[in-house]
Amino acid sequence: MSQSPHEINRLREQIALHGKSLFDRGLTMGSSGNISQRLEDGGCLMTPTNACLGRLDPARITRLDAQGRVLDGDAPTKEHFLHRAMLEERPSAGAIVHLHSTHSVAVSCLPDINPCDCIPPLTAYYVMRVGTLPLVPYHVPGDERLGDAVRGLAGQHSAVLLANHGPVVAGKNLDAAVYATEELEETAKLFLLLRGTNPRGLTPEQVDELNARYPRD
Ligand SMILES: [Zn+2]
């Protein structure tokens, strides 16, 4: 099964709209950050290498087949393997967002965070959209071992935080992936605001109740 060219063009336009929105609000800078969208034929759309998310041309967004070969558009982001690892390990995920968003990156640089779960459950919407957030050890950008490290966690986690780099977040569709990324960034900001105050987060029972009522994709 595969989508019509019209449907695929609509998905390209959605990527460009979300990219501009993220860029305009300062959630991504320069040519950093990338977005992917799964297609029904097993391939995906992906933002191109060296592209600014604020000025994406929908026609130049990369289309890859199920084997990762470029079908049309520009060459894909150099971080394509992060997206492939998430999409392959999370069959329920329809889209992936990866940003170098400031507060999330700040948390990824802290010396004393829990590498199994970098941000405590401060709010209900963070638990519903992100859940637990493991830290992926630092690798130089472009090192495909980073993809392997993400692959090892992606089955159990819809979001991971790359050390000294930024988050990779899955959602059932592009809207959901963007909203979860925004929730993560805002909760990272809250976490930093509250550092040193011993904040009262949600209890394990409250987290269990949310996970039972609102399972994540
Ligand atoms: Zn990156």
Side-chain angles (χ1 to χ4, degrees), residues 182-199:
E182 293 173 347
E183 194 70 36
L184 169 51
E185 176 65 7
E186 290 304 308
T187 310
K189 195 187 297 184
L190 279 178
F191 178 60
L192 295 168
L193 280 170
L194 291 166
R195 267 171 74 78
T197 65
N198 193 24

Side-chain angles (χ1 to χ4, degrees), residues 32-34 79 82 98-100 141 162 165-166:
S32 72
N34 27 76
E79 298 184 299
L82 297 176
H98 164 58
L99 301 180
H100 302 169
L162 312 182
H165 184 165

